[in-house]
Amino acid sequence: MSAGADGSGGPAVAARSGEGSPGEDGFVPSALGTREHWDAVYERELRTFQEYGDTGEIWFGEESMNRLIRWMQKRKIPLDASVLDIGTGNGVFLVELAKFGFSNITGIDYSPSAIQLSGSITEKEGLSNIKLKDLNFSKSCQPPSSALEADLETV
Ligand SMILES: C[S@@+](CC[C@H](N)C(=O)[O-])C[C@H]1O[C@@H](n2cnc3c(N)ncnc32)[C@H](O)[C@@H]1O
């Protein structure tokens, strides 16, 4: 497992190096905003996990996960509260939440390989109650349909 996008380099910086000039909307396009990028990342990470058991990158670093859990603790978020991790990647944050005692947790990601990877990791950890779903948050949240709600009910 490796900690990542903390400003000191790593894959996020590598992905940004492919940036071009600003588009009509004024935003500089980034590979980090494409599903193709994340599919390629998690296909590679899934193979690495299968071959070596390495859980892969924690994009915002372990400290950010711990900070979030401390925040939830301070706010007295009940352990049975439903928690949704959007863009769960390898699902390591869900693993930490489950180890901490949260019992109603779901991870979604639009990369099927990320969902496969997070499923393998949670299975290896013996955490069978974590729900995972291959789902595009942006598309599922388009009004007027509440597809996210409907999809999550089927998780
Ligand atoms: C920077 S990575 C973070 C992964 C993980 N949460 C972590 O901290 O290591 C961003 C994740 O969001 C996912 N993602 C990006 N846009 C998404 C969308 N519209 N719906 C679902 N997942 C999305 C990507 O596939 C990727 O796994």
Side-chain angles (χ1 to χ4, degrees):
M1 179 190 302
S2 51
D6 57 2
S8 62
V13 171
R16 280 197 298 269
S17 67
E19 289 170 353
S21 43
E24 278 174 24
D25 55 8
F27 290 104
V28 176
S30 165
L32 294 171
T34 67
R35 179 167 160 194
E36 291 72 24
H37 172 77
W38 294 112
D39 278 340
V41 166
Y42 285 106
E43 275 162 27
R44 194 176 56 239
E45 294 215 347
L46 180 60
R47 278 197 305 274
T48 306
F49 178 74
Q50 287 163 346
E51 282 176 38
Y52 307 107
D54 188 311
T55 52
E57 187 82 11
I58 300 171
W59 280 79
F60 303 105
E62 268 180 69
E63 175 47 26
S64 71
M65 288 195 308
N66 296 334
R67 205 164 53 234
L68 256 172
I69 292 176
R70 282 200 301 274
W71 181 88
M72 292 167 87
Q73 211 179 357
K74 201 170 157 191
R75 300 280 158 150
K76 300 193 178 354
I77 307 288
L79 291 177
D80 62 353
S82 57
V83 181
L84 176 63
D85 183 19
I86 299 168
T88 198
N90 59 11
V92 167
F93 181 52
L94 298 170
V95 170
E96 292 305 308
L97 286 171
K99 286 183 177 169
F100 192 79
F102 283 94
S103 56
N104 185 8
I105 52 185
T106 303
I108 62 168
D109 204 293
Y110 66 2
S111 163
S113 296
I115 292 302
Q116 215 184 319
L117 174 62
S118 51
S120 304
I121 291 172
T122 53
E123 190 186 332
K124 189 179 171 188
E125 295 279 345
L127 300 166
S128 55
N129 61 338
I130 295 179
K131 290 159 268 183
L132 293 161
K133 177 104 178 151
D134 163 7
L135 193 70
N136 186 333
F137 176 72
S138 311
K139 289 201 176 145
S140 298
C141 279
Q142 295 299 318
S145 91
S146 57
L148 178 65
E149 222 172 289
D151 281 346
L152 286 174
E153 271 169 24
T154 63
V155 170

